[in-house]
Amino acid sequence: MRSYDDSYRHKGLRKQLMDTLRDKGISDEKILGVMNDIPRHYFLDSAFDKVAYEDKAFPITEGQTISQPYTVAYQTQLLQVRQFDKILEIGTGSGYQAMVLAGMGAQVFTIERQKKLFDEHRTFILRAKYPSIKYFYGDGFEGLPSYAPFDKVLITAAAPFIPPKLIQQMKIGAKMVIPVGEGNVQRMLRLTVLPDGSVSEEMFDNFSFVPMVSGRNG
Ligand code: SAH
């Protein structure tokens, strides 16, 4: 069960969470403004109401997780989102990250491989507020060739390697933010497609995501 009451208490806790993210080094005020406007507790079972604004990942359907707010802010900041960017997200999960990207003014194409999670989005209360998000049930390793090329690609599951088909779906100058690594820890990478078609790579901090798995489930 979920509860859709956004009380003063929730709003106050959300504001405190934004201060925590600032303290941890998130400096893009636009991102913090967008996150401050999205009731994160709507994405969680009401059993998590008291902790929804702690800077932690929490379980959602099918053993998956809603990413930690710091991770969402960090990935969004690395992606350098601009208004009207066409963004491909792999791993819709709760849909929270997709709505942060939409709140930044991007057009979002998000793929989820778990049918149950995908189906939950049909009736989710915040869906109508973000008409610029398109939801797909599929395998993120394949991307969305018929909607390519993209300005940005965001992977929100632990990738065992950089998916070659996703690189092919990026524009020149496009960026991909992707946590790469098997096991418990992944290194956050930012890739940029250069004018000659080659790809440059920057390395950032370590994170811990649920695995990116090939094929659909359900
Ligand atoms: N962005 C999400 C984070 C979800 S966790 C959020 O804001 O809540 C990662 C999600 O990636 C899980 O829901 C998992 O099912 C999904 N996933 C894993 N491998 C995938 C793949 N190959 N294609 C699409 N989704 C995938």
Side-chain angles (χ1 to χ4, degrees), residues 106-124:
Q107 203 189 342
V108 185
F109 299 76
T110 183
I111 311 180
E112 174 56 54
R113 70 177 286 278
Q114 298 277 3
K115 183 72 163 54
K116 242 186 172 169
L117 271 171
F118 171 77
D119 285 341
E120 282 180 3
H121 290 289
R122 290 181 202 284
T123 53
F124 185 47

Side-chain angles (χ1 to χ4, degrees), residues 43 60-62 64-67 72 89-98 110-114 117 138-141 156-158 209-215:
F43 297 76
I60 52 172
T61 305
E62 298 286 357
Q64 303 305 317
T65 55
I66 181 172
S67 299
V72 171
E89 183 200 19
I90 310 302
T92 315
S94 69
Y96 180 78
Q97 171 75 74
T110 183
I111 311 180
E112 174 56 54
R113 70 177 286 278
Q114 298 277 3
L117 271 171
D139 180 359
F141 280 100
T156 67
F209 285 81
V210 296
M212 182 171 175
V213 179
S214 59

Side-chain angles (χ1 to χ4, degrees), residues 28-45:
D28 186 330
E29 286 297 326
K30 189 167 175 202
I31 295 174
L32 295 169
V34 167
M35 290 177 69
N36 192 47
D37 282 346
I38 304 178
R40 187 176 188 241
H41 63 286
Y42 285 16
F43 297 76
L44 293 163
D45 189 276

